[in-house]
Amino acid sequence: MEESKIRILIVDDHSLMRQGLKQILEIEEDIEVVGLAVDGEDALEQCFKLKPDVILLDINMPNMNGIQALRRIKDMGIDTKVIMLTIHDDREYLFETVNIGAEGYVLKDAESNSLVRAIRNVYFGESYIHPSLASEFVREYKSRGNTADKEHNKNKLTRREYEVLTLIAE
């Protein structure tokens, strides 16, 4: 019995980029490009129709950008993994998309084998962040976590304060 292929939907507003990615990916025996979409709206339609395993999603697109499309995909509970494929090495885009639920983040100037590795990692339940951004992501995540912990502890009541508050409420 033949193993199933990883079904990919490529979403980018540039035809040359879509076609180039398709050619690169179809060389791989375990990957099948099932659809091409030109913007976020088209991506949502294709997603419902084709049910891809992984979506390669550009950020900057007309009509509905990649961040808006990612948010809609995750809000709708669509069971598809998303890799942001972008020119932006801006950490704010990285944090925003990961917080929304993107499983991967790959820069468009990456080597093709990095993209293929990202697709396979994400398909098998792992995350993938472009290596040039990964260490900065971890560093920033740790610093944000520390400030969140401090903020959480600052808002935490002592046992006695909780008792007093409960008595006031009663």
Side-chain angles (χ1 to χ4, degrees), residues 50-109:
L50 302 171
K51 299 185 180 6
D53 298 312
V54 178
I55 299 174
L56 296 180
L57 186 58
D58 186 19
I59 289 180
N60 287 336
M61 296 181 293
N63 300 325
M64 180 188 297
N65 71 33
I67 294 173
Q68 294 165 325
L70 172 65
R71 188 171 276 118
R72 294 273 305 276
I73 288 165
K74 296 302 178 178
D75 286 349
M76 296 162 101
I78 297 171
D79 188 28
T80 297
K81 295 178 170 47
V82 178
I83 296 173
M84 303 309 292
L85 184 62
T86 180
I87 60 169
H88 297 286
D89 61 358
D90 183 334
R91 68 181 187 198
E92 288 308 312
Y93 279 120
L94 171 62
F95 283 106
E96 183 175 5
T97 57
V98 168
N99 283 331
I100 295 170
E103 288 83 4
Y105 196 94
V106 177
L107 298 178
K108 285 185 177 180
D109 66 357

Side-chain angles (χ1 to χ4, degrees), residues 10 12-24:
I10 298 170
D12 196 294
D13 57 325
H14 296 99
S15 177
L16 197 58
M17 190 70 185
R18 287 191 308 273
Q19 293 302 324
L21 287 169
K22 181 178 182 197
Q23 286 187 339
I24 289 168

